[in-house]
Amino acid sequence: MQVRWSHSVLKVRDIEAMIAFYTDMLDFVVADRGPLPLPGEPEIVFLSGSSSDHHQLALTDGRGEEDASSLEHNAFRVESLTDVKTMIDKVSKDPRVKSHMPLTHGNAISVYFSDPEGNGIEVFCDSPWHVKQPAAQGWDPTMSDEEVLADVKAKFENDSEFRPMEEYRAAKAREFGEV
Ligand SMILES: [Fe+2]
């Protein structure tokens, strides 16, 4: 299985200052932003400068003074849902991984877990659709690939921005001057 770098998510203390810094310095644009369904509803802001990824960097304002590290997670893309299921099987059998969580953001089908020092990892495959972020639901790795895709579609097809991923990426490619 080949994993390819996609994005990182950082916990920050001054989210507006950090958005300004990354948009000024790296020419990122805000792709989406909104509250996470977590205690205190911390905001997450998604930044990207490429049509390849909905976000290349995301910032959440959930970093407390006690958080030594700013890293929420690093994310890696795999080719297929089968690869994500294989990863789930692998981490579920490895005692170094204390827990894992299958989650789908509608535009991706993911598993989250942590390395032995507590750094978050997301391994995901793209779904065929774009969905406004943030969005998250559970998914069942025991389902067939076809059942998982039907389940993801059913969970997100009423989203206001639900559309084919190709359409979203083509629009972003024009926005970023790639074509
Ligand atoms: Fe992620």
Side-chain angles (χ1 to χ4, degrees), residues 7 9 55 73 75 105 112 122:
H7 64 263
V9 179
H55 51 287
H73 67 263
H105 301 294
Y112 286 81
E122 175 187 11

Side-chain angles (χ1 to χ4, degrees), residues 15-37:
I15 199 162
E16 297 303 333
M18 291 290 271
I19 295 165
F21 182 85
Y22 279 101
T23 54
D24 289 346
M25 292 298 163
L26 276 70
D27 289 338
F28 281 147
V29 299
V30 175
D32 264 323
R33 64 190 297 171
L36 286 170

Side-chain angles (χ1 to χ4, degrees), residues 107-128:
N107 62 359
I109 302 166
S110 310
V111 59
Y112 286 81
F113 53 98
S114 294
D115 72 21
E117 297 197 5
N119 301 300
I121 299 169
E122 175 187 11
V123 173
F124 74 95
C125 67
D126 289 325
S127 90

Side-chain angles (χ1 to χ4, degrees), residues 104 137-140 143 150-159:
T104 170
Q137 298 268 358
W139 65 280
D140 182 353
M143 286 179 168
D151 180 50
V152 171
K153 186 178 184 192
K155 282 171 168 153
F156 294 98
E157 65 187 345
N158 293 323
D159 175 80

Side-chain angles (χ1 to χ4, degrees), residues 138-151:
W139 65 280
D140 182 353
T142 67
M143 286 179 168
S144 71
D145 291 2
E146 294 72 24
E147 288 170 332
V148 171
L149 286 174
D151 180 50

Side-chain angles (χ1 to χ4, degrees), residues 36-68:
L36 286 170
L38 295 171
E41 296 197 328
E43 185 174 30
I44 186 164
V45 178
F46 300 95
L47 302 169
S48 187
S50 167
S51 66
S52 65
D53 289 272
H54 172 267
H55 51 287
Q56 295 176 296
L57 178 68
L59 308 171
T60 81
D61 60 5
R63 185 176 182 191
E65 293 301 322
E66 71 286 0
D67 285 323

Side-chain angles (χ1 to χ4, degrees), residues 48-56 77 165 168-176 178-179:
S48 187
S50 167
S51 66
S52 65
D53 289 272
H54 172 267
H55 51 287
Q56 295 176 296
R77 178 183 278 109
M165 179 69 84
Y168 177 81
R169 287 205 172 134
K172 285 292 173 183
R174 289 193 294 275
E175 181 182 336
F176 293 131
E178 296 168 10
V179 289

